[in-house]
Amino acid sequence: KLVYGDVFRPPPGGTLLAVYAGTGAQLAVMSVLTLAFAALGFLSPANRGSLLSSVLLFFVLMGVPAGFVSARFCQLVKEQNHFKATLLTAIMFPGVTFIIFFFVNLIAWSKQSSSAVPFGTLIVLMLLWFGVSLPLIFFGAYLGVQAGADVAPVSNQPHPREPISLPCQISPIPRQIPPQMWYLSNGVPAILGGCLAFGAVFVEMFFILSSIWQHRFYYMFGFLGLVFFILLVTCAEIAIVLCYLHLVAEDYRWWWRSMFTGGSIALYMYAYGLYHYMSRAHPAAQFDLLSASIYFGYMGIFCYGIFVLCGFIGFISCFVFICKIYGSVKID
């Protein structure tokens, strides 16, 4: 109850948080649809191109939920420039991914490797990005702004253009945060949360990396869907527990912390990818720039996506949890 007037105070960098929330929603829907189609047998493991094409197609088409979620949270953090926020949602994650992919492909071109992606394919990817994904994200943002036009920010106090009904008002003066214990300081909860979440999926990581880099087929998409569900539940539970401990310690800065708590599993995944590369994928002593750039470049793209996805799960679960508990608490 002591921080009820500050728990919904907009955080610094709230626009960027809303952007990553929208992208996380886009990746979450994309992952669920891809795993569902693969588990039902529509995507053959023998045809690797069909799985990758489905991932790209679902990501591009899921621009509507990305723009919708981003617009709703942009209104919540008092971002007035909705065009900037929507544009960042459209270019932030795909832009970083395309830069990494382009540099990896540039090295492949310089080595005249057959693994290099043709220039025409890059043009097609750009057309999908700017011709399909970008308009869908702006359309979703328009729906998000319109959906929040008649919702009140505080119960019984109507106000236009507010996205979500908050259970308590924000005090005009921020409350001073008392000194925190070392295990609740910045960085420690995120490291702990990522370690526990990684423990739920590290066994499956071995089979996934082996199927990708050691030319093996992966058929257990149903089991992968179950592991993915366990990962999401674990990220949500860990983020909620750590968020509650911080609120008990009168620390209301939960916005970014919940994002990093859920997304920190990506660091453990990348570290495991390094171990897999040194022990199995590239046991030879001779270093090859092309193979290393392809492996670590694509592994970086994968872990970046995991960070955004799991960070969104941690953030949205903490947001729902806080709205629930403060909606049921009677403030005198």
Side-chain angles (χ1 to χ4, degrees), residues 8 34 44 53 81 110 114 152 154 238 276 278 283 290 292-293 302 310 316 330:
F8 291 107
T34 303
S44 173
S53 299
N81 193 345
S110 65
S114 59
V154 182
I238 293 172
H276 186 87
M278 300 302 296
L290 178 60
S293 63
F302 172 75
C310 295
I316 198 66
K330 302 298 182 182

Side-chain angles (χ1 to χ4, degrees), residues 13 21 44 72 76 110 126 158 180 224 244 252 268 276 311 320:
S44 173
R72 301 273 281 185
L76 186 63
S110 65
M126 294 288 289
Q180 301 293 307
L224 179 61
Y244 178 77
Y252 51 84
Y268 291 91
H276 186 87
V320 174

Side-chain angles (χ1 to χ4, degrees), residues 70 75-76 165 218 258 283 313 319:
S70 176
Q75 293 173 337
L76 186 63
S165 179
Y218 187 89
S258 62
I313 296 300
F319 181 79

Side-chain angles (χ1 to χ4, degrees), residues 17-30:
L17 181 66
V19 167
Y20 276 115
T23 305
Q26 183 179 13
L27 290 173
V29 179
M30 177 208 74

